[in-house]
Amino acid sequence: MKIIVTEQANKWFEEELELEKGDAVRFYGKVYGKTEVHDNYSVAMQVAEPNDVLAKATVNGITYFAEKWDEWFFSEYDFKIEYDEKADEIRYRFLS
């Protein structure tokens, strides 16, 4: 698994979550919702310190990561985080 964060997405996170260099954002699966590869689960995120990292990416000093216990949600996919300018929101993509 690889995490890919676009520069525009990173900027959105910095502004919306008031992140600074050294901060970290964890991604994981949550019950309810849907992704392009999961029924009844969607992507959740929280500002948190990495513990047992499965994968991570660092952009402009901000670390984006998933923990090993969330491997069930990300297995077999790369995880791409993009900013949708028209909708002014983040889009999560699972790439095979």
Side-chain angles (χ1 to χ4, degrees), residues 71-86:
E71 185 173 11
W72 66 270
F73 188 72
F74 298 101
S75 82
E76 301 180 26
Y77 300 100
D78 288 335
F79 183 58
K80 187 171 185 180
I81 305 153
E82 303 172 317
Y83 173 70
D84 182 333
E85 189 173 334
K86 187 174 181 180

Side-chain angles (χ1 to χ4, degrees), residues 33-63:
K34 183 177 172 111
T35 72
E36 58 196 9
V37 296
H38 304 94
D39 287 327
N40 302 315
Y41 293 94
S42 60
V43 178
M45 59 92 179
Q46 71 181 131
V47 176
E49 289 296 317
N51 183 28
D52 194 13
V53 175
L54 171 67
K56 70 178 181 175
T58 303
V59 181
N60 198 28
I62 309 296
T63 300

Side-chain angles (χ1 to χ4, degrees), residues 2-61:
K2 180 170 48 171
I3 296 177
I4 305 153
V5 182
T6 66
E7 289 287 339
Q8 289 178 314
N10 178 69
K11 184 177 178 186
W12 184 91
F13 278 102
E14 286 180 340
E15 291 172 2
E16 292 296 316
L17 301 179
E18 300 179 356
L19 299 176
E20 298 179 357
K21 288 183 178 165
D23 287 339
V25 179
R26 174 183 167 222
F27 295 97
Y28 58 98
K30 70 174 183 172
V31 177
Y32 302 114
K34 183 177 172 111
T35 72
E36 58 196 9
V37 296
H38 304 94
D39 287 327
N40 302 315
Y41 293 94
S42 60
V43 178
M45 59 92 179
Q46 71 181 131
V47 176
E49 289 296 317
N51 183 28
D52 194 13
V53 175
L54 171 67
K56 70 178 181 175
T58 303
V59 181
N60 198 28

